[in-house]
Amino acid sequence: MSEKALRDLNTIPGTERKTECSLTKSHVDNGNNNAEEWQKKNCPSLVSPPSNGNQIVNPATETGNAEVEYIESENLNDLEDIDMSLKTLLAGLDSKDWVLVCEALNNVRRLSIFHKEAMLNMLSAVCKTAIMTSADIFSAYNDIIIDSLDPLIVQLLLKSSQDKRFVCEAAERALVAMTTWISPLSLLPKLQPYLKNKNPRIRAKASMCFCRSVPRLGAEGIKAYGIDKLIQTAAPQLSDRLPESREAARTLLLELQCMYEKYQDLAQATESEHSEMSSWENFCQSKLSPLSAQAVLRVTNIVREGLVS
């Protein structure tokens, strides 16, 4: 998860995010004398202002309004207790408390800088947990996250196409969550540049996400977005290097053909008997280059012929 994404999340009002350090609150409420000591060990960024001048809210005086500390890499200090940090790292990343999650992510950065060998054997687990956190963010915040989405998208597209299966599977689930919880009108423009990425694996994963998102527009949404724009986006993917891209394009074009022909039926039912929209073939030929139109019609006609026979 990028630091920018976390910074943008921090601008969400306190009523819409959980930033209270729950264990700290429990100590404070119960008057436990060990609260300050616990904070120093587990939430050091919430106890005193950092040396680089960032202002941090003290939870002892403003419980529930805690802020997250953002530290540049060159200003990060080494960990005092490496073994304890390693033991509690995954639990911190998996916490439902955003302050603890962010503190754990800062510890990941510290370990990467000062003790990369110590974290090497759990690196995949750290990556998987961070990716799972992304899926939870999409589910919780929906379109609120859209302005912070760019650095997340590229990392998820990369991780979903790597060789380590359990990290890849977590990234795939996060991408499904993204296309499920973020509105297609907001998401499609974010995905479109990755359809032309130099990395064929990124293109393939982006094509699959694009294909999943378009049907969620619905008939009216597709008309508003522009069915011609969607066809022009999908057509080049038919000749892409990877089969995942080509299959996603075929699926999307069939969906668009179905929608287009439904529009035609609706127009004929609501207008005069003599009104008629262009045929699918004519529409494609009018919106695409001759070679692209031929490729699209070959795909859609083959499927249609198969259904008829």
Side-chain angles (χ1 to χ4, degrees):
M1 186 187 308
S2 73
E3 186 174 338
K4 179 181 182 299
L6 290 171
R7 182 184 298 113
D8 289 346
L9 274 179
N10 201 44
T11 63
I12 301 170
T15 56
E16 295 180 15
R17 59 186 171 90
K18 296 180 180 178
T19 57
E20 181 182 326
C21 186
S22 58
L23 291 175
T24 301
K25 181 179 185 296
S26 174
H27 283 294
V28 172
D29 288 348
N30 294 325
N32 194 311
N33 294 328
N34 293 326
E36 184 176 352
E37 186 64 27
W38 187 93
Q39 286 177 315
K40 288 179 180 178
K41 290 182 179 179
N42 296 278
C43 299
S45 64
L46 304 180
V47 177
S48 58
S51 58
N52 63 359
N54 290 343
Q55 293 184 352
I56 305 300
V57 177
N58 189 336
T61 57
E62 296 192 33
T63 303
N65 293 315
E67 298 292 335
V68 175
E69 181 180 359
Y70 305 106
I71 312 172
E72 297 297 332
S73 296
E74 58 269 22
N75 295 326
L76 281 170
N77 296 322
D78 197 357
L79 292 159
E80 294 183 4
D81 190 337
I82 300 170
D83 291 337
M84 182 57 67
S85 296
L86 287 169
K87 288 178 182 179
T88 60
L89 186 60
L90 293 181
L93 290 172
D94 200 35
S95 173
K96 298 301 181 182
D97 188 309
W98 282 112
V99 172
L100 296 183
V101 172
C102 294
E103 185 66 30
L105 287 169
N106 275 337
N107 284 343
V108 169
R109 296 171 63 206
R110 292 183 178 98
L111 288 165
S112 299
I113 293 170
F114 298 106
H115 308 282
K116 64 179 183 181
E117 296 298 329
M119 197 176 64
L120 188 60
N121 64 341
M122 61 189 302
L123 196 57
S124 293
V126 171
C127 291
K128 180 176 179 178
T129 306
I131 290 168
M132 292 169 67
T133 302
S134 299
D136 291 337
I137 288 174
F138 298 144
S139 175
Y141 293 99
N142 310 138
D143 286 9
I144 295 175
I145 195 69
I146 196 67
D147 291 335
S148 305
L149 197 58
D150 288 326
L152 279 175
I153 288 180
V154 68
Q155 290 303 318
L156 290 175
L157 293 174
L158 281 169
K159 295 299 181 185
S160 66
S161 60
Q162 68 171 221
D163 296 330
K164 292 183 178 179
R165 193 180 72 175
F166 75 113
V167 172
C168 176
E169 290 174 350
E172 286 278 10
R173 287 192 291 270
L175 289 173
V176 170
M178 180 181 71
T179 55
T180 300
W181 294 105
I182 297 180
S183 69
L185 282 175
S186 299
L187 184 59
L188 291 176
K190 294 285 186 180
L191 288 170
Q192 200 148 2
Y194 297 103
L195 299 174
K196 299 179 181 179
N197 194 278
K198 293 180 179 180
N199 187 326
R201 291 187 174 186
I202 288 181
R203 291 199 306 271
K205 298 300 181 181
S207 295
M208 295 166 69
C209 291
F210 200 90
C211 177
R212 284 197 301 267
S213 294
V214 169
R216 293 186 60 234
L217 285 168
E220 293 304 316
I222 288 176
K223 289 172 68 176
Y225 192 93
I227 192 169
D228 53 339
K229 294 179 182 178
L230 293 170
I231 292 172
Q232 291 161 1
T233 298
Q237 306 302 312
L238 289 173
S239 58
D240 197 81
R241 173 178 167 184
L242 293 183
E244 293 94 332
S245 292
R246 301 194 296 270
E247 182 59 31
R250 284 193 290 268
T251 301
L252 177 55
L253 287 165
L254 289 169
E255 179 78 21
L256 293 174
Q257 179 193 24
C258 180
M259 287 288 185
Y260 183 83
E261 292 177 346
K262 283 184 179 179
Y263 295 159
Q264 187 173 14
D265 293 340
L266 287 172
Q268 291 175 345
T270 56
E271 298 178 9
S272 67
E273 294 180 0
H274 301 289
S275 64
E276 184 178 354
M277 292 174 65
S278 298
S279 67
W280 171 250
E281 289 78 8
N282 289 340
F283 183 76
C284 290
Q285 290 167 353
S286 68
K287 300 298 180 181
L288 299 169
S289 69
L291 285 177
S292 292
Q294 184 179 11
V296 170
L297 293 174
R298 185 185 304 117
V299 167
T300 53
N301 286 338
I302 286 175
V303 173
R304 177 184 291 170
E305 290 169 3
L307 292 174
V308 171
S309 61

